[in-house]
């Protein structure tokens, strides 16, 4: 009875966080001074209400795990006898999974933001947007039909526009939110067309009715297959933009211009997860069209590889994590394209907590660096200026390392279990896709450990580099790929010519690094005789560390829900049992359990590739002793004459490709943005000169004709007689002319 009561009124769950933004708005209208003065009070009801949502979501999930059911409640809104629009809510494993993700990650972000945004003038506005964003996302995942999904889909897009452009006075932030908004409008328009086309075929917006009608139509061969395929493609187009899949991925890196807590929320469990959620919700529809499934898997494999390559040379720590998110979303989309519903949702869960941990950890780093280098993102987020933060931020360092290892797929952390399952499924689907996915796992390990090593290892580079990017001492230099080096009389001959015609070191260093003891002596001599009053980074406040520690626990243990081992009398695979009702909806009968031998065989390759990526990153970016082994290894790279030049050219191309975002943004700028602007300028010219010219010309002509008529029709008899005689004279002349020439 109690469960039925909870299910019936669970429709209120998306609206639970709404009272806070409503009260903030009323307070700012009625009592603006008091509301702003007591602004920190508003964080507590926001956290409390989202906590209620989290508990409700957890309770529903536990009941579904024990009983295995799907609950749907619908209100019918009849417009006429032929059309009825229904609203309601759907509670199933997919809804419960997404609700828990949104509420837990959202709650962590809210607690973190209370301290992170404390000194910001837009503190109240931030919590207003954040509460509305959480409500919109909760409404999206509990929707029972396509119309509701589209309404909340647009609300999520509007909130993301406001949050990405939170610091709208900065031109870069304003451009970033506009870019995200316009790019997502492409997908949203495709989604709307797909929804309308699907209604034309089935006559229903409700998911369960829609799937049943489609099954009957396909069984009786009564469906226009080409049109149905087009509708399915348009529906996938909406997910393509929202989840930043190629080629509509360009908004995601620029979305980092928003506050770091927003980056954590958008990239972990909300906006980018909405596209994965939509494809998972409509997977029974896509399964009926193999061509669309093949397209989904192709887009997924392209996205995961592209995202990992574009992350290799970025210097902004949040931008690297953004491309990492893009790559991991590609894994999820690949799994859905292969029909592996469970593997995709499993990776969605594990990635959400690991990526939220990494973003909140990066926010802690940025927060501490701002006191040192200033509040410009070009400085506080630049990994070139970081380094040596281990001793200053030990808790953040440990948490960030665990998140990095998880994303690299190192056991027994969360992402290892889900990523390994996707890689295993890819071998059964396509060996080519499997090779690309496995190589991407190595690239992921490389660029993630590149972030960790550049940020926490070595020495604090901000003391050796001024903020214009020039060296402040002749003893120290930093390569464009981010790692530090002390110049000595030993150096390598090879270097690299970049687009700006400056010769900069690449993988193979132009100089060798000294032993740490020698480096410390150089620093001591450099600053000898001066009073060292330089500030140092510091660990974040407890209110920022608490959600990080909680996410560390999730990163450790959440992978246990999907361990795919056979156990007699019961399995460890809780996730498969939980997802059984949703999988039965589209008759997925795959067995996800494996034995120890098969599991070890599948995992050995992926873990080995990840360790190889970590090893390569450690070789190039970890400061270690100036030893004979280091000399021999480095000299191996510089010998070879023409081969060395060829290798440097390849590295140059890889760097250019990654640093310039694969030239995709430049292509869009030239082919789309520039063309649209030229078309807009031509339209403006045509409107101002031609359309307005014709209108103005008619007005001027009417003016002169009116003036002439005014003088002719002035009321004087002499003017009338003159006009009459003139007309008679003209008529006589015309008559004479016609008679004379015999016309």
């Amino acid at each position: 009875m109690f469960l039925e009561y909870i299910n019936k009124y669970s429709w209120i769950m998306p609206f639970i966080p709404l009272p806070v933004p409503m009260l903030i708005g009323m307070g700012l209208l009625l009592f603006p001074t008091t509301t702003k003065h007591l602004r920190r009070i508003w964080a507590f009801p926001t956290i409390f209400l989202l906590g209620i949502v989290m508990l409700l979501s957890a309770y529903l999930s536990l009941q579904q795990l024990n009983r295995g059911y799907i609950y749907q409640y619908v209100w019918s809104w009849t417009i006429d006898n032929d059309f009825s629009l229904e609203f309601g809510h759907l509670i199933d494993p997919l809804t419960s999974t997404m609700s828990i993700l949104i509420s837990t990650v959202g709650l962590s972000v809210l607690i973190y933001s209370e301290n992170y945004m404390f000194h910001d003038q837009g503190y109240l506005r931030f919590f207003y947007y954040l509460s509305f964003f959480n409500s919109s996302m909760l409404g999206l995942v509990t929707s029972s039909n396509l119309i509701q999904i589209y309404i909340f889909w647009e609300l999520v897009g509007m909130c993301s526009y406001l949050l990405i452009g939170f610091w709208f006075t900065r031109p870069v932030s304003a451009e970033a939110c506009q870019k995200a908004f316009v790019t997502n409008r492409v997908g949203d328009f495709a989604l709307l067309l797909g929804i309308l086309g699907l209604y034309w075929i089935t006559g229903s917006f409700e998911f369960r009715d829609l799937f049943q009608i489609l099954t009957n139509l396909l069984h009786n061969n009564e469906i226009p297959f080409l049109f149905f395929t087009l509708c399915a493609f348009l529906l996938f187009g909406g997910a393509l933009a929202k989840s930043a899949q190629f080629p509509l991925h360009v908004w995601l890196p620029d979305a980092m211009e928003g506050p770091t807590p927003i980056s954590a929320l958008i990239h972990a469990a909300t906006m980018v997860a909405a596209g994965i959620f939509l494809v998972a919700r409509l997977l029974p529809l896509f399964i009926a069209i193999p061509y669309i499934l093949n397209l989904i898997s192709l887009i997924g494999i392209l996205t995961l590889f592209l995202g990992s390559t574009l992350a290799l040379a970025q210097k902004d720590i949040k931008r690297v994590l953004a491309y990492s998110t893009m790559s991991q979303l590609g894994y999820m989309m690949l799994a859905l394209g292969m029909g592996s519903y469970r593997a995709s949702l499993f990776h969605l869960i594990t990635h959400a907590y690991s990526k939220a941990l990494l973003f909140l950890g990066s926010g802690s780093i940025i927060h501490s660096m701002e006191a040192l280098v200033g509040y410009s993102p070009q400085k506080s987020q630049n990994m070139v200026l970081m380094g040596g933060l281990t001793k200053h931020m030990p808790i953040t360092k440990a948490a960030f390392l665990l998140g990095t290892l998880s994303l690299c797929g190192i056991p027994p952390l969360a992402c290892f279990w889900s990523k390994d399952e996707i890689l295993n499924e890819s071998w059964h689907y396509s060996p080519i896709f499997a090779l690309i996915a496995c190589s991407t796992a190595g690239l992921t390990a490389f660029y993630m450990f590149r972030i960790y090593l550049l940020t926490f290892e070595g020495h604090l580079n901000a003391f050796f580099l001024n903020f214009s990017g020039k060296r402040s001492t002749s003893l120290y230099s930093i390569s464009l790929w981010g790692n530090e080096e002390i110049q000595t009389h030993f150096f390598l001959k090879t270097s690299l010519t970049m687009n700006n015609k400056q010769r900069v070191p690449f993988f193979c260093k132009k100089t060798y690094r000294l032993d740490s003891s020698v480096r410390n002596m150089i620093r001591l001599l450099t600053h000898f005789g001066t009073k060292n009053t330089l500030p140092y980074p510091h660990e974040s406040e407890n209110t920022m560390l608490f959600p990080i520690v909680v996410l560390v626990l999730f990163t450790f243990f959440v992978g246990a829900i999907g361990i795919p081992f056979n156990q007699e009398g019961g399995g460890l695979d809780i996730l498969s049992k939980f997802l059984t009702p949703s999988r039965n909806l589209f008759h997925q009968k795959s067995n996800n359990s494996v034995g120890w031998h098969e599991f070890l065989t599948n995992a050995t390759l992926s873990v080995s590739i990840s360790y190889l990526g970590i090893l390569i990153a450690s070789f190039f970016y970890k400061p270690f002793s100036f030893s004979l082994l280091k000399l021999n290894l480095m000299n191996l790279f510089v010998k070879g004459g023409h081969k060395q030049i060829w290798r440097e050219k390849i590295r140059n191309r890889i760097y250019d490709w990654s640093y310039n975002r694969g030239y995709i943004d430049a292509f869009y700028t030239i082919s789309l943005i520039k063309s649209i602007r030229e078309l807009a300028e031509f339209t403006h010219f045509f409107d101002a000169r031609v359309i307005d010219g014709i209108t103005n010309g008619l007005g001027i002509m009417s003016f002169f004709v009116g003036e002439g008529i005014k003088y002719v029709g002035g009321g004087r008899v002499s003017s009338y007689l003159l006009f009459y005689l003139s007309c008679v004279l003209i008529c006589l002349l015309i008559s004479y002319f016609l008679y004379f020439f015999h016309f």
Side-chain angles (χ1 to χ4, degrees):
M1 185 67 183
F2 180 72
L3 177 60
E4 184 179 353
Y5 182 82
I6 291 292
N7 284 328
K8 184 176 181 180
Y9 292 98
S10 59
W11 62 268
I12 202 172
M13 191 164 59
F15 305 100
I16 291 176
L18 281 182
V20 173
M22 294 173 63
L23 291 174
I24 290 176
M26 292 176 61
L28 290 175
L29 287 175
L30 301 177
F31 313 103
T33 305
T34 306
T35 304
K36 292 178 181 178
H37 182 68
L38 301 175
R39 61 178 193 162
R40 294 196 74 177
I41 294 178
W42 295 105
F44 298 103
T46 306
I47 295 170
F48 175 74
L49 293 177
L50 194 59
I52 294 176
V53 174
M54 182 187 69
L55 294 176
L56 183 58
S57 301
Y59 177 78
L60 292 174
S61 300
L62 289 175
Q63 293 301 320
Q64 284 183 340
L65 181 62
N66 294 328
R67 302 189 181 187
Y69 69 94
I70 295 177
Y71 181 86
Q72 181 173 349
Y73 192 85
V74 176
W75 298 273
S76 180
W77 182 18
T78 303
I79 297 178
D80 54 38
N81 294 327
D82 298 326
F83 180 76
S84 176
L85 188 61
E86 296 178 335
F87 290 94
H89 66 284
L90 175 64
I91 304 297
D92 67 346
L94 180 59
T95 298
S96 300
T97 300
M98 294 300 299
S99 299
I100 289 177
L101 283 180
I102 295 166
S103 56
T104 52
V105 175
L107 194 62
S108 301
V109 169
L110 285 173
I111 297 172
Y112 183 91
S113 302
E114 196 280 328
N115 189 286
Y116 189 89
M117 300 296 295
F118 172 66
H119 298 288
D120 197 284
Q121 293 182 351
Y123 183 89
L124 284 176
R125 183 164 52 93
F126 179 85
F127 278 91
Y128 182 95
Y129 293 163
L130 208 57
S131 298
F132 197 63
F133 189 46
N134 288 325
S135 294
S136 301
M137 196 66 200
L138 289 169
L140 174 65
V141 300
T142 56
S143 296
S144 62
N145 58 67
L146 288 170
I147 289 295
Q148 279 182 255
I149 275 196
Y150 186 76
I151 292 172
F152 287 108
W153 189 275
E154 291 296 326
L155 290 175
V156 168
M158 183 192 70
C159 293
S160 65
Y161 170 80
L162 296 172
L163 289 169
I164 294 170
F166 183 78
W167 290 316
F168 56 87
T169 54
R170 293 170 43 216
V172 180
S173 296
E175 293 176 2
C177 68
Q178 292 173 15
K179 188 175 184 178
F181 188 80
V182 172
T183 306
N184 279 280
R185 290 290 70 72
V186 177
D188 294 353
F189 183 64
L191 177 62
L192 178 60
L193 293 180
I195 291 173
L196 296 177
L198 206 60
Y199 178 78
W200 185 81
I201 295 173
T202 62
S204 175
F205 293 114
E206 295 294 322
F207 290 122
R208 298 181 68 83
D209 296 340
L210 186 146
F211 296 149
Q212 186 64 40
I213 293 171
L214 284 176
T215 301
N216 295 334
L217 290 175
L218 289 171
H219 180 72
N220 298 326
N221 198 20
E222 298 175 354
I223 191 170
F225 189 75
L226 290 178
F227 183 70
F228 178 46
T229 303
L230 176 62
C231 293
F233 173 75
L234 291 172
L235 291 170
F236 174 64
L240 195 75
K242 195 71 76 176
S243 287
Q245 299 294 293
F246 175 82
L248 299 179
H249 66 279
V250 292
W251 67 270
L252 191 64
D254 293 329
M256 296 298 96
E257 296 299 329
T260 303
I262 296 307
S263 303
L265 194 61
I266 287 178
H267 286 250
T270 53
M271 184 174 177
V272 295
I276 305 297
F277 165 80
L278 180 65
V279 177
R281 177 65 78 196
L282 298 176
L283 193 59
L285 183 149
F286 295 130
I287 286 177
I289 312 173
Y291 299 109
I292 297 298
L293 279 183
N294 293 334
L295 176 65
I296 293 173
S297 61
L298 177 62
I299 293 295
I301 200 70
L302 290 175
T303 303
L304 70 90
F305 184 74
L306 180 65
S308 63
T309 56
L310 298 185
L312 293 176
Q314 303 298 324
K315 293 184 285 186
D316 188 310
I317 185 172
K318 288 174 63 178
R319 196 175 293 275
V320 180
L321 293 177
Y323 281 119
S324 172
T325 300
M326 172 184 165
S327 181
Q328 300 305 311
L329 290 169
Y331 275 110
M332 301 173 206
M333 201 65 77
L334 172 64
L336 288 171
M338 296 185 298
S340 184
Y341 177 83
R342 176 195 180 279
S344 179
L345 289 185
F346 190 21
H347 197 55
L348 178 65
I349 296 168
T350 59
H351 171 262
Y353 294 113
S354 300
K355 188 54 64 68
L357 172 62
L358 288 169
F359 266 111
L360 295 188
S362 68
S364 181
I365 295 167
I366 295 167
H367 193 65
S368 64
M369 288 295 293
E370 285 174 342
L372 184 64
V373 298
Y375 291 90
S376 172
Q378 286 75 20
K379 301 173 185 177
S380 60
Q381 297 173 197
N382 193 346
M383 292 186 293
V384 172
L385 301 178
M386 299 177 188
L389 297 181
T390 298
K391 60 183 179 182
H392 304 295
M393 309 177 69
I395 301 176
T396 301
K397 177 254 185 183
F400 199 91
L401 177 60
L402 287 173
T404 300
L405 290 172
S406 175
L407 208 63
C408 293
I410 304 301
L413 299 174
C415 286
F416 160 73
W417 305 101
S418 56
K419 184 183 288 188
D420 183 73
E421 183 175 342
I422 295 175
L423 294 177
N424 183 37
E425 293 285 343
S426 66
W427 285 109
H428 297 293
Y429 181 78
S430 170
I432 297 176
F433 282 16
L435 288 173
I436 297 174
C438 289
S439 62
T440 302
L443 292 175
T444 301
F446 174 82
Y447 67 71
M448 287 307 302
F449 255 78
R450 174 176 175 264
I451 298 177
Y452 170 77
L453 294 172
L454 292 179
T455 304
F456 293 101
E457 299 294 330
H459 295 279
L460 192 58
N461 296 330
F463 291 155
F464 294 92
L465 194 77
N466 63 30
F467 303 144
S468 64
K470 299 178 181 179
R471 285 174 292 180
S472 58
T473 172
S474 60
L475 293 171
Y476 206 85
S477 67
I478 298 177
S479 74
L480 279 181
W481 281 62
N483 62 319
E484 59 202 41
E485 45 193 26
I486 298 292
Q487 295 183 358
T488 69
H489 62 281
F490 298 103
F491 62 92
L492 301 177
K493 297 292 185 180
T494 57
S495 60
L496 184 64
T497 304
M498 301 302 294
N499 294 334
N500 57 4
K501 299 182 180 180
Q502 295 177 352
R503 300 182 71 80
V504 296
F506 196 57
F507 270 142
C508 294
K509 295 293 182 289
K510 184 178 178 181
T511 61
Y512 288 112
R513 286 174 290 191
L514 294 179
D515 185 83
S516 59
S517 59
V518 179
R519 186 181 315 196
N520 291 333
M521 292 176 60
I522 292 175
R523 290 186 65 190
L524 180 62
L525 291 173
T526 304
H527 295 91
F528 185 76
T530 62
K531 185 177 180 180
N532 188 4
T533 60
L534 296 174
Y536 282 90
H538 56 84
E539 191 62 89
S540 300
E541 300 291 336
N542 292 334
T543 50
M544 292 174 63
L545 292 177
F546 174 74
I548 292 177
V549 173
V550 171
L551 290 172
V552 166
L553 298 178
F554 275 107
T555 303
F556 257 120
F557 299 111
V558 76
I561 66 173
I563 297 177
F565 296 147
N566 283 326
Q567 299 288 330
E568 300 200 1
L572 295 177
D573 191 359
I574 302 173
L575 186 63
S576 294
K577 180 182 177 182
F578 180 63
L579 295 177
T580 298
S582 293
R583 291 163 59 207
N584 290 340
L585 187 62
F586 44 89
H587 309 292
Q588 190 184 65
K589 299 180 181 179
S590 60
N591 182 17
N592 296 289
S593 295
V594 296
W596 280 101
H597 178 72
E598 184 181 355
F599 166 75
L600 291 175
T601 303
N602 297 333
T604 301
L605 177 61
S606 62
V607 175
S608 301
I609 293 174
S610 297
Y611 274 118
L612 179 61
I614 293 172
L615 181 64
I616 296 174
S618 300
F619 176 75
F620 287 117
Y621 297 107
K622 182 177 177 60
F624 54 88
S625 300
F626 186 80
S627 61
L628 182 61
L629 176 62
K630 173 76 182 294
L631 282 171
N632 292 334
L633 289 173
M634 297 298 289
N635 287 329
L636 287 176
F637 285 94
V638 299
K639 293 179 180 179
H642 294 292
K643 292 183 179 180
Q644 172 62 21
I645 297 175
W646 180 73
R647 284 195 295 265
E648 290 294 344
K649 288 183 178 179
I650 293 177
R651 292 166 189 155
N652 188 6
R653 296 291 181 265
I654 295 174
Y655 177 85
D656 287 345
W657 166 267
S658 180
Y659 191 75
N660 295 304
R661 307 186 189 186
Y663 304 101
I664 297 173
D665 290 68
F667 172 76
Y668 286 160
T669 301
I670 295 172
S671 61
L672 293 178
I673 299 175
K674 187 177 179 181
S675 301
I676 292 173
R677 286 179 177 174
E678 290 178 353
L679 178 62
E681 292 175 357
F682 173 76
T683 304
H684 175 71
F685 172 81
F686 186 81
D687 180 67
R689 302 296 181 182
V690 179
I691 303 299
D692 290 350
I694 293 174
T695 305
N696 295 334
L698 290 175
I700 294 172
M701 184 182 299
S702 300
F703 172 77
F704 285 109
V705 170
E707 288 293 323
I709 293 175
K710 181 179 73 172
Y711 286 108
V712 171
R716 296 181 179 180
V717 177
S718 57
S719 298
Y720 293 157
L721 290 175
L722 178 61
F723 179 73
Y724 174 74
L725 291 175
S726 300
C727 291
V728 171
L729 181 61
I730 291 173
C731 291
L732 291 174
L733 289 174
I734 292 173
S735 300
Y736 177 76
F737 178 79
L738 293 175
Y739 177 78
F740 183 77
F741 288 99
H742 305 286
F743 281 100

